[in-house]
Amino acid sequence: MPVVTSPPPLDELLRKLFALEPELLRDPYPFYRRLREEAPVYFFDPGVAIVSTHELASTVFRDGERFHAFPTRAKNFEQATADLSDEEGEMVRRLYALEAPRLSNIHGERHRRVRSAAQRYFTPKQVGDLVAAVEQLVDLELTDLAERASGGVVDLASFADRVPLLVVMEIIGAPYEDADMVRKWGDARSRINRGARFAPEDVRAADKAMTEFREYVGDLIERQRGASYVSTLAAALLDAAADDQLAHDELVEIYLLLLFAGHDTTRNLITGGMRSLLAHRDQWELLCADPTLSASAVEELLRYDSVAQFFPRLAAFDLELGGVAVPRGAQLLVAIGAANRDPLVFDGPDELQVARKPNPHLAFGGGPHFCLGAPVSRMEGRIVLRAIAERFPRIDSIIDPAHVPFRPNETGRGPLALEVTLG
Ligand code: HEM
């Protein structure tokens, strides 16, 4: 008699995902399908739910009155801090408190005020002015990558790790030579965004890193205040601060946010996007034959394997979502990766189609907090894809791309490495 096994319960799968089990990290999509079908608003804890359909995810993102951004907190704070000493627990609380004035963590009028100070820079015209510099940077970095290929093999992640951070440093007006330091601080901080339980050594490292990082940004701002020339964005932000449109902590947090948000995400877009393309060789060849597809390809890569998998919101009132009662103060984790594979919105959602149009994915969120840097990362993505397609059309992963291991992080999704031959 065949043995009939029932599928594991959702909470078991979720526990595994938050415990960073490599198999689930590599392919969370069958689990996301079950979430959408069985419990689109799934309370896995009395105060924390995952929202997984495209329709409900869009509602949560767009309705800034009912759903507030807040300083990203552990999904279950007691559980997450269970292995920490009192001192380490205090470090985590301080970390969240210092990030409270950050653009991504505030709502309502305050959010509109702070965002409008930074938004002036992120216009098509300003971003267009960066194109030539980014093309040149990508070209130089690809030449360097090719030179580093030993025995013909090189890790594409080492290229993806550099370009987006250098672009943000350019935008902010920070010296390129500080990039390695900034990357280390950012990596230390992001280690305590992931998983179900914080490791004491990660908390101590993040505390030290963020103290140094804040000091660095404070010094940079001071230097820029006295400088005769600063970048367009820095000038706009410093003007806003001088006019009291931005408080000092809000100003510092914008710099920190840009250095985080602009680096990790686009790095994962490049490495993860190339992994997806190499796993679907026909789509890569389509792109190589017609590089003008790079714009729609970037959108499809953002949809197909979204680099930001979960974004949190807080319910501002007792409310109802998708027929489920949500109490005031509940945390809602919007599962972007699940929403972007919703068959009610996308034909063949599990297929990668570089020419897909329209593509109403939610990779950049939506509503009042819609990613400010979206035009920058779209532009970078297009330039990088085009350049790799033109210079290295025979690029190939040295292992089956379907088996490339992912970073141990359920939220910021990207491969650990992507070893390739450039052809
Ligand atoms: C693949 C690349 C990227 C992805 C997938 C991405 C994704 C996101 C998402 C989903 C949000 C919305 C968060 C929310 O609704 O709470 C967001 C916000 C934000 N992103 Fe991005 N991002 C990317 C690149 C960038 C870049 C390159 C920059 C800057 C140069 C940037 C700056 C920001 C900022 C400042 C916010 C906060 C906006 C606000 O709260 O009003 N991002 N991003």
Side-chain angles (χ1 to χ4, degrees), residues 1 64 73 122 131 133 220 224 231 343 408:
M1 268 217 348
R73 222 167 292 147
F122 290 92
V131 167
L220 175 66
Q224 289 184 332
S231 73

Side-chain angles (χ1 to χ4, degrees), residues 270-290:
I270 296 172
T271 323
M274 282 306 299
R275 181 201 82 113
S276 298
L277 285 164
L278 297 180
H280 298 84
R281 195 83 210 176
D282 59 324
Q283 296 299 302
W284 173 245
E285 273 153 23
L286 213 57
L287 181 65
C288 292
D290 179 4

Side-chain angles (χ1 to χ4, degrees), residues 159-295:
F159 159 82
D161 218 16
R162 281 182 58 77
V163 173
L165 183 54
L166 294 180
V167 173
V168 190
M169 306 235 355
E170 173 78 30
I171 291 173
I172 287 179
Y176 277 17
E177 57 269 26
D178 298 342
D180 286 341
M181 227 157 50
V182 168
R183 185 180 302 105
K184 276 193 205 118
W185 289 325
D187 285 347
R189 170 63 185 90
S190 66
R191 240 170 274 138
I192 68 157
N193 268 354
R194 65 183 191 186
R197 292 167 94 94
F198 297 148
E201 62 276 16
D202 285 351
V203 168
R204 287 185 178 277
D207 182 67
K208 181 169 179 293
M210 289 314 297
T211 304
E212 292 171 6
F213 201 175
R214 262 200 189 79
E215 218 173 274
Y216 169 80
V217 166
D219 288 349
L220 175 66
I221 290 173
E222 272 322 300
R223 282 205 311 278
Q224 289 184 332
R225 276 207 174 101
S228 50
Y229 171 79
V230 291
S231 73
T232 317
L233 175 69
L237 293 175
L238 294 176
D239 281 353
D243 291 349
D244 290 334
Q245 192 193 340
L246 279 182
H248 184 69
D249 55 0
E250 293 165 343
L251 176 67
V252 170
E253 293 303 315
I254 290 189
Y255 276 66
L256 287 169
L257 174 61
L258 291 171
L259 288 166
F260 273 128
H263 162 224
D264 224 28
T265 47
T266 312
R267 151 180 88 184
N268 288 339
L269 170 64
I270 296 172
T271 323
M274 282 306 299
R275 181 201 82 113
S276 298
L277 285 164
L278 297 180
H280 298 84
R281 195 83 210 176
D282 59 324
Q283 296 299 302
W284 173 245
E285 273 153 23
L286 213 57
L287 181 65
C288 292
D290 179 4
T292 62
L293 285 175
S294 58

Side-chain angles (χ1 to χ4, degrees), residues 61 103-104 111 115 122 257-258 261-262 265-266 269 302 307 311 313 336 363-365 368-373 377:
F61 274 139
L103 175 66
S104 51
H111 175 257
R115 184 165 166 120
F122 290 92
L257 174 61
L258 291 171
T265 47
T266 312
L269 170 64
L302 284 162
V307 304
F311 257 96
R313 287 290 188 275
I336 295 178
F364 291 121
H369 290 272
F370 181 82
C371 176
L372 203 58
S377 60

Side-chain angles (χ1 to χ4, degrees), residues 38 50 78 120 131 149 172 180 187 206 252 295 301 330 339 376 388 414:
E38 294 172 33
I50 292 201
E78 275 69 44
R120 278 185 255 164
V131 167
I172 287 179
D180 286 341
D187 285 347
V252 170
L301 296 171
V376 177
I388 299 179

